[in-house]
Amino acid sequence: MALTLMKGSEAIAEAAIRVGCRYFFGYPITPQTEIPEYMSARMPQIGGTFLQAESEIGAINMVYGAAGTGARVLTSSSSPGVSLKQEGISYIAASEVPCVIMNVMRGGPGLGSIQAGQADYSQSTKGGGHGDYKLVVYAPSSVQESIDLMTIAFDVAEKYRTPVLIAADGMICQMMEPVELPEMIEHKIDYKKMPWAITGEHESDTHKRAIINSLYITVEELDELNERLQANYRKIEENEVRYEAYNLENAEIVVTAFGTVARICKSAIDDLKEEGINIGLLRPITLWPFPYEAVHKAATQPGVKAVLDVELNAGQMLEDVKIAVNGDQKIEFLGRYGSHMPTAEEIYDKLLQMRREF
Amino acid sequence: MKEYIILIGNYGSGKTELALNFALRAADAGKKTEVIDLDLVNTYFRLTDRGNLVKSKEIRLVSPNFAGMNVEALSVPAEVASAFAGDWDTVIFDVGGDPTGAAALGRYFEDFAELPPGSLTVLNVINTKRPMAGTSERIIELMRDMERYSRQTVSGFVNNTNLAKLTGPGDLAEGYEIIKQASIETGIPVLYTTGKKEFLDAFLAEGHDPKYIGTPMAIDTFMHRDWDSFTRFGL
């Protein structure tokens, strides 16, 4: 296994390239600027296209265009920039074309801060743009997982013809970790599998004319699109839920957390285990589809007396945890706003305090 | 004699770690020490984050003008001039990890030119486990760019090859081979080989050519760039 020491942002960019991404459109914003920087150097080496757009709005519409050809395309931004992309994302979802969008979350709202945040959970999972659409949302908690999820993200985007969002945070992109990268693959557009993709050529026996569009003139046609999208989302909910269960056996408290924060929770859980106290962790890897069943099951297993949800926001995933638990378990929340990373000690102390109150 | 050490090298090569180690050694030897954080590019994992450690050792730290950790509006402070005016025994410059970062150093070209001959050492810190430093060609290309932007000439290489928490005994030897090649191609000597004591000792016992090892220096880790340390100790 050949390990390389990589910064999260470089690793994310290289992973996208290795799984066949040849188009990147973006605009700089801290803490993800190293992704476009890396792409600007790397894409020309492998015959790909890097383009710094005039704005985030420009970038997402370039993604929309490239995605319509069936090519693997990525854009990346951070919270305020991703807000600007929302209209385009809604169009991409409505046009049923695959792409991957990175959101390296920072503190918000507004211009917020350049430090890590998780306050775009609701925007990512509840439809930040207009209309009845969903994004598949992955939340990596390490540099290696960011790499591994990039492969999955492109595959899922193509399988379901849907935009996929990877919600990382500033810490993951700025952190350096030893990682293993996937082998470089050659991604060829297979028009047999992607008859919807535009070719730029006249209709032929092998390829019918394809139209990428999100405007539907009649009520019936728009209804048909919405029915198709919803059926697709139900399939995704059925097949694509991912989560990590950690130390759930004999747990007294189950912690729910995602991304960076989940990893800090793990440190607290490991420390408590050394003291002979068992705390479990249920970490959603897909924020949508949310692992409702797994969270309910973990929260209500025998011996569990409470759930602690920890987030770097005011309690956005907490709403989904509450839906999952459905009143069957006591839930407490430990939150810090973006750019104020909780320490393992704070989580450790909170868990001990909860135990005293059993 | 006064000594000035400039640390250049690409991101993740370990410049900031070495800057702290050089500074603490100098201070422990009773030298009047100043550290200049000239990294205007990176906004996470900065030397300035270790301000209290540096102060506890009575080392003077000059940081970029800094509004707060939530914004990036870094600029070079006038105070950098103290490096050339003050009565220091040792001054260490920690520079941003790419040609753009090295450009901040170019501003002080004339001050460096007036230093007594032999007092300035420009160290190019190399970690061959980083993607942009895996071959001698890449190392030399990046070095030439940084030299041009910083208006300085590299005096020697530092082999600081590591994989953070997963560093193994063979890593310094791997770095040795690649940096040796860069040294042969450029005529620039290897001045230091640095690493955690256990790995450094194991490497030294392997019997490599001392010419491409330079001075071995065991270092301590202060910059918690890796997850496990970060989640325990914070930035």
Side-chain angles (χ1 to χ4, degrees), chain B residues 111-164:
Chain B
D111 297 297
F112 285 116
E114 284 171 15
L115 293 177
S119 59
L120 173 64
T121 309
V122 181
L123 296 175
N124 184 10
V125 184
I126 311 282
N127 176 3
T128 62
K129 289 291 185 184
R130 292 280 295 138
M132 299 302 181
T135 64
S136 61
E137 292 78 26
R138 283 184 171 186
I139 290 168
I140 294 166
E141 195 185 338
L142 183 72
M143 179 177 71
R144 294 304 180 211
D145 275 349
M146 288 193 295
E147 284 183 322
R148 205 166 64 244
Y149 278 74
S150 67
R151 306 172 75 187
Q152 292 297 333
T153 307
V154 168
S155 334
F157 292 112
V158 179
N159 176 7
N160 187 44
T161 301
N162 72 87
L163 266 175

Side-chain angles (χ1 to χ4, degrees), chain A residues 43-259:
Chain A
M43 279 297 190
Q45 293 174 359
I46 43 145
T49 298
F50 163 85
L51 205 149
Q52 182 175 321
E54 74 279 17
S55 70
E56 287 85 352
I57 300 170
I60 194 68
N61 282 292
M62 291 171 190
V63 169
Y64 183 15
T69 69
R72 289 197 154 180
V73 53
L74 176 75
T75 186
S76 169
S77 192
S78 177
S79 307
V82 177
S83 292
L84 282 169
K85 291 181 192 287
Q86 293 302 324
E87 183 203 42
I89 294 172
S90 171
Y91 277 60
I92 292 169
S95 302
E96 301 165 275
V97 291
C99 69
V100 178
I101 301 149
M102 279 296 310
N103 181 2
V104 182
M105 292 185 283
R106 57 188 246 178
L111 206 46
S113 80
I114 61 165
Q115 299 293 326
Q118 291 190 322
D120 304 346
Y121 178 92
S122 296
Q123 182 198 59
S124 310
T125 60
K126 312 294 178 193
H130 59 282
D132 273 322
Y133 77 92
K134 286 282 186 188
L135 297 177
V136 180
V137 183
Y138 293 103
S141 76
S142 70
V143 177
Q144 185 66 55
E145 193 178 28
S146 307
I147 293 170
D148 300 342
L149 285 175
M150 192 55 83
T151 312
I152 295 165
F154 274 107
D155 287 347
V156 164
E158 274 164 26
K159 184 176 175 192
Y160 297 96
R161 293 175 57 187
T162 185
V164 170
L165 186 118
I166 300 179
D169 65 57
M171 205 42 78
I172 285 171
C173 271
Q174 296 294 325
M175 193 76 61
M176 275 190 198
E177 291 192 289
V179 293
E180 193 188 6
L181 288 158
E183 292 297 315
M184 182 78 91
I185 64 155
E186 187 81 37
H187 175 72
K188 284 219 171 83
I189 303 169
D190 181 348
Y191 292 106
K192 283 204 183 92
K193 283 187 188 157
M194 295 181 170
W196 49 266
I198 52 172
T199 60
E201 290 167 10
H202 288 294
E203 187 161 300
S204 68
D205 295 341
T206 53
H207 193 72
K208 285 183 102 175
R209 187 170 175 233
I211 296 170
I212 306 295
N213 178 40
S214 73
L215 174 63
Y216 292 87
I217 305 291
T218 67
V219 173
E220 291 73 20
E221 277 178 307
L222 182 57
D223 268 357
E224 206 179 290
L225 166 76
N226 272 309
E227 293 291 351
R228 199 164 60 238
L229 288 178
Q230 291 306 316
N232 200 27
Y233 297 146
R234 298 298 87 76
K235 260 197 285 175
I236 294 171
E237 285 171 339
E238 212 171 290
N239 302 325
E240 302 301 334
V241 171
R242 281 175 189 265
Y243 59 88
E244 183 196 358
Y246 184 72
N247 201 43
L248 280 180
E249 206 177 321
N250 300 323
E252 299 174 32
I253 298 171
V254 170
V255 174
T256 51
F258 69 96

